[in-house]
């Protein structure tokens, strides 16, 4: 027990009677505090339990304790007759023995190993400032303080830990996961020593890909994006997702000093871990630090589940680059709200798909495999040109150009839709050239594998809709594009007049090389005005 410099009670003149009295006081206070701990009482109830017996056993007029409550707010609890004085300011004065009118106030800090947790005071009737009386009063106070300060230290430690956990949880709730993670680690490092700290976690969409964030004394040192670590990169290439295994010791070998790890486990019934925490220090970690690290690991597991769930949801519509940009914006949800914008629209449907399904495949499974391959590559074409995958209707792939940030011009949106259309035509023809696909087309009497595409530039209400929060768009322009696509023939791309006109003054070499057929007007059912469109011819050499 270490205490600040103050008048110390002398034990040289301690009589047997006083010794027995102090021992009885010590046991009584200890029993009272143990009962409070057993009942898990608040500090207020603890003091209500302890103060009356203390007054009775010590013969004092009043008792008071200033300390922090469970919310770490400074408070003063008191019992007895303090007269017109409020005990709080009295306890803040220099500790020791002093007269207070006709009474004597004895005060002493409460601390454990030099860590102050409060101040306690006893108010005696009469004058107790003479050396012998002062020493006896200080011994009484010290006997009580010996029992009380340890209990208060436990309360404060638990409260501080709780507050720290709440702060870390608040940081981790940041919509930008990386920012929240950095703040949580720094907050933790300001309370406990964290010389080395590493988070390794799976990519939500590509689970075989691992990301990492490495910290030194709470500050970001390396991350798998813009600040890679050569050592960690080599370990990832060599060991891959095996690094997440509880038995894998590679990370412990990479970090200096004594290292402890915590595997982050998903709450779902899966065997694969979400990630791993590794912390290192030359001095090791206290039980207090380890408890905080375990709580952080548990919170991180839940946060990663939520983060991954959001990434997986967004990956249905957006490429990785757009998802990254969205999730780097704390207010990214604003980009996904429904908004009326002019967008490039693409509908692409495999020619003769019904005949292919009915006559070309021997099972629904094979149909599914064929559609999966073609649609995945078609969506890649949409994403490559900055588009959003809206949905599939049967074998028809629908893409939007402009969402979710709408930072491109109307000309750029129209051109991106045409570029994607050309790429989808090319990939479909390439797929049709494969021996097994060519044989299938010959079997069902098709000239090859082709795709009919419709391209438009029109206003639409874009955003997340429906119970599954799917990113899609609604407008008459969407319906017109669907009708336009249905007019397209084998390996034909039809472009609505509005989209064609938007490309008229384009300086882009690709746009200038485009060639279109004559303007055509086609009446369609349930559409008031005929569709005005062009057939996209070949590019000029």
């Amino acid at each position: 027990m270490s205490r600040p410099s103050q008048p110390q009670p002398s034990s040289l003149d301690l009589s047997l009677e006083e010794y027995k009295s102090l021992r009885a006081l010590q046991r009584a206070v200890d029993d009272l505090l143990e009962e409070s701990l057993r009942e898990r009482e608040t500090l207020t109830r603890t003091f209500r339990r302890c103060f009356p017996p203390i007054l009775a056993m010590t013969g004092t007029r009043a008792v008071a304790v200033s300390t922090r409550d469970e919310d770490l707010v400074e408070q003063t609890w008191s019992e007895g007759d303090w007269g017109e004085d409020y005990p709080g300011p009295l306890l803040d004065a220099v500790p020791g023995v002093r007269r207070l009118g006709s009474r004597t106030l004895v005060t002493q800090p409460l601390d454990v190993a030099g860590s102050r947790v409060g101040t306690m005071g006893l108010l005696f009737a009469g004058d107790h400032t003479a050396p012998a009386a002062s020493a006896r009063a200080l011994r009484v106070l010290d006997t009580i303080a010996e029992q009380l300060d340890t209990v208060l230290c436990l309360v404060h430690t638990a409260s501080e830990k709780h507050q720290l956990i709440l702060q870390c949880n608040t940081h981790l709730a940041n919509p930008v996961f990386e920012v929240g993670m950095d703040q949580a680690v720094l907050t933790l490092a300001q309370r406990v020593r964290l010389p080395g700290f590493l988070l390794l976690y799976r990519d939500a969409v590509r689970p075989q890909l691992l990301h990492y964030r490495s910290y030194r004394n709470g500050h970001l040192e390396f991350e798998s994006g813009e600040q890679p670590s050569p050592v960690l990169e080599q370990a990832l290439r060599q060991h891959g997702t095996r690094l997440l295994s509880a038995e894998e010791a590679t990370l412990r070998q990479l970090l200096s000093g004594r290292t402890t790890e915590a595997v982050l486990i998903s709450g779902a019934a899966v065997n694969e871990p979400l990630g791993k925490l590794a912390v290192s220090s030359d001095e090791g970690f206290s039980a207090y630090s380890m408890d905080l690290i375990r709580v952080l690991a548990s919170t991180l597991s839940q946060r990663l589940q939520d983060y991954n769930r959001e990434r997986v949801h967004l990956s249905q519509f957006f490429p990785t680059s757009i998802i990254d940009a969205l999730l780097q914006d704390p207010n990214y949800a604003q980009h996904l709200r429904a908004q009326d914008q002019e967008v490039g629209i693409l509908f692409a449907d495999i020619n003769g798909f019904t005949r292919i399904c009915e006559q070309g495949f021997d099972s629904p499974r094979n149909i599914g495999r064929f559609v999966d391959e073609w649609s995945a590559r078609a969506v890649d074409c949409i994403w490559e040109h900055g588009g959003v995958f809206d949905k599939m209707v049967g074998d028809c792939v629908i893409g939007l150009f402009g969402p979710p940030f709408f930072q491109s011009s109307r000309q750029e949106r129209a051109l991106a839709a045409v570029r994607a259309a050309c790429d989808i035509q090319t990939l479909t023809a390439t797929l049709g050239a494969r021996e097994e696909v060519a044989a299938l087309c010959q079997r069902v009497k098709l000239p090859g594998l082709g795709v009919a595409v419709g391209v438009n530039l029109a206003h639409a209400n874009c955003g997340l809709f429906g119970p599954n929060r799917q990113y899609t768009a609604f407008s008459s322009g969407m319906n017109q594009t669907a009708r336009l696509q249905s007019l397209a023939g084998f390996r034909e791309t039809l472009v609505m007049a509005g989209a064609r006109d938007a490309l008229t003054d384009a300086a882009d070499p690709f746009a200038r090389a485009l060639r279109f057929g004559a303007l055509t007007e086609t009446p369609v059912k349930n559409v008031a005005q005929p569709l005005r469109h062009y057939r996209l011819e070949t590019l000029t050499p």
Side-chain angles (χ1 to χ4, degrees):
M1 185 72 61
S2 172
R3 298 190 182 283
S5 177
Q6 62 180 43
Q8 295 296 318
S10 172
S11 60
L12 296 178
D13 300 323
L14 186 64
S15 66
L16 179 60
E17 181 181 351
E18 185 184 354
Y19 173 78
K20 290 180 178 179
S21 175
L22 293 177
R23 287 287 293 168
L25 177 62
Q26 181 187 51
R27 287 194 296 269
V29 174
D30 184 57
D31 290 343
L32 289 167
L33 292 174
E34 280 194 9
E35 182 66 19
S36 288
L37 290 173
R38 220 170 13 248
E39 296 295 327
R40 294 181 173 84
E41 292 179 338
T42 62
L43 282 178
T44 297
R45 292 185 63 85
T46 297
F47 291 134
R48 284 177 184 170
R49 176 190 293 273
C50 296
F51 281 170
I54 287 174
L55 291 178
M57 295 183 69
T58 60
T60 49
R61 295 280 300 275
V63 59
V65 171
S66 286
T67 186
R68 289 179 293 172
D69 63 13
E70 291 84 354
D71 293 323
L72 302 180
V73 176
E74 194 75 23
Q75 288 198 41
T76 298
W77 289 263
S78 64
E79 183 82 15
D81 181 14
W82 285 91
E84 297 180 357
D85 296 309
Y86 178 68
L90 298 176
L91 298 185
D92 290 338
V94 177
V97 181
R98 68 183 185 275
R99 288 295 299 274
L100 195 65
S102 61
R103 301 161 295 174
T104 302
L105 177 62
V106 184
T107 60
Q108 176 177 303
L110 301 170
D111 68 273
V112 174
S115 177
R116 182 162 177 163
V117 295
T119 306
M120 184 175 184
L122 291 175
L123 186 63
F124 292 83
D127 183 2
H128 290 259
T129 57
S134 176
R136 284 194 297 270
L138 285 170
R139 285 194 289 267
V140 169
L141 180 56
D142 190 63
T143 298
I144 301 170
E146 285 282 351
Q147 307 304 312
L148 188 57
D149 52 11
T150 302
V151 172
L152 291 179
C153 187
L154 292 175
V155 172
H156 291 174
T157 299
S159 297
E160 288 173 353
K161 186 186 298 182
H162 178 66
Q163 293 289 337
L164 188 57
I165 290 169
L166 289 179
Q167 290 176 32
C168 289
N169 288 352
T170 299
H171 292 320
L172 290 174
N174 191 312
V176 182
F177 171 75
E178 294 83 358
V179 172
M181 184 66 202
D182 295 350
Q183 293 172 339
V185 173
L186 180 59
T187 297
L188 196 61
Q190 290 169 345
R191 186 63 183 86
V192 299
R193 291 189 71 255
L194 287 179
F197 188 102
L198 170 66
L199 170 65
L200 191 66
Y201 59 101
R202 289 182 186 271
D203 186 90
V205 181
R206 297 162 292 174
Q208 295 305 307
L209 175 65
L210 297 183
H211 303 285
Y212 59 83
R213 299 184 79 75
S214 176
Y215 304 84
R216 177 62 53 184
N217 295 317
H219 297 279
L220 184 67
E221 186 176 28
F222 299 110
E223 55 101 359
S224 48
E226 298 180 356
Q227 298 172 239
S229 161
V231 174
L232 287 172
E233 292 291 335
Q234 182 178 352
L236 288 175
R237 288 192 296 269
Q238 185 173 354
H239 301 280
T241 56
R242 293 196 307 275
L243 290 172
L244 300 182
S245 169
E247 294 77 25
E248 178 60 51
T250 300
L251 293 183
R252 289 193 291 272
Q253 296 168 359
L254 294 179
L255 300 175
S256 60
R258 296 175 60 184
T259 302
T260 186
E261 296 179 342
V263 177
L264 308 180
I265 302 295
S266 169
V270 296
N271 294 324
E272 293 184 338
L274 291 169
K276 180 186 280 189
L277 279 184
V279 290
S280 63
S281 171
D282 292 335
E283 302 172 3
F285 295 95
S286 67
Y288 179 88
S289 299
M290 287 304 303
D291 192 27
L292 286 172
I293 291 168
R294 282 191 289 268
V295 172
L296 180 63
S298 176
T299 305
L300 262 177
S301 292
Q302 183 59 54
R303 180 65 182 92
L304 275 174
Q305 288 181 63
D306 296 339
Y307 178 70
N308 288 352
R309 191 179 298 115
E310 186 70 354
R311 288 194 73 97
V312 169
H313 177 238
L314 295 175
S315 71
Q316 299 175 80
F317 328 111
F318 307 112
T320 299
S321 59
I322 290 182
I323 296 173
D324 289 342
L326 278 170
L327 295 183
Q328 287 298 315
D329 184 350
N331 299 313
Y332 76 89
Q334 67 181 340
H335 301 296
L336 305 178
R337 295 192 185 102
Q339 49 187 307
D340 188 0
Q341 293 279 357
E342 189 175 35
V343 294
I345 307 168
L346 178 149
F347 279 63
D349 189 279
I350 297 174
N351 295 123
F353 184 69
T354 300
R355 191 192 310 178
I356 291 173
C357 290
E358 292 181 352
Q359 303 176 23
F361 292 103
D362 56 3
S363 71
R365 176 180 296 181
N366 288 333
I367 296 174
R369 287 174 178 170
F370 174 76
V371 172
D372 268 353
E373 180 180 359
W374 176 80
S375 62
R377 294 174 65 180
V379 170
D380 283 342
C381 293
I382 292 171
W383 283 348
E384 184 177 344
H385 296 290
V388 173
F389 171 50
D390 181 319
K391 67 173 76 68
M392 280 194 72
V393 179
D395 64 305
C396 180
V397 169
I398 303 172
L400 305 172
F401 298 83
F405 301 114
F406 300 103
Q407 295 174 337
S408 56
S409 67
R410 63 191 307 269
Q411 183 180 92
E412 289 169 332
R413 296 172 194 180
L415 182 57
V418 172
R419 282 182 179 274
C422 293
D423 286 354
I424 291 174
Q425 289 285 7
T426 300
L427 86 85
T428 306
T430 301
L431 183 61
R434 288 194 337 209
E435 183 177 346
E436 68 277 14
V437 179
L440 181 151
C441 292
Q442 186 176 10
R443 190 162 60 248
V444 299
K445 297 181 173 54
L446 284 175
L449 188 65
V451 63
V453 183
V455 173
N456 194 6
L457 182 67
H459 277 270
N461 196 25
C462 309
L464 294 176
F465 292 95
N468 295 327
R469 310 305 293 159
Q470 302 296 299
Y471 197 96
T472 186
F474 297 95
S475 73
S476 59
M478 293 288 290
N479 297 332
Q480 291 169 5
T481 313
R483 299 300 181 86
L484 181 68
Q485 179 273 316
S486 67
L487 296 176
F490 179 74
R491 294 182 179 175
E492 189 173 52
T493 296
L494 300 182
V495 180
M496 203 74 82
R500 166 69 179 83
D501 293 343
L503 300 175
T504 301
D505 299 325
D508 183 273
F510 177 87
R512 295 176 67 86
L514 294 173
R515 291 295 177 265
F516 296 90
L519 174 65
T520 303
E521 294 191 0
T522 306
V524 293
K525 186 177 179 181
N526 296 327
V527 176
Q529 300 296 325
L531 300 182
R532 304 178 72 250
H533 57 89
Y534 296 85
R535 182 180 187 274
L536 178 62
E537 307 290 354
T538 58
L539 298 174
T540 58

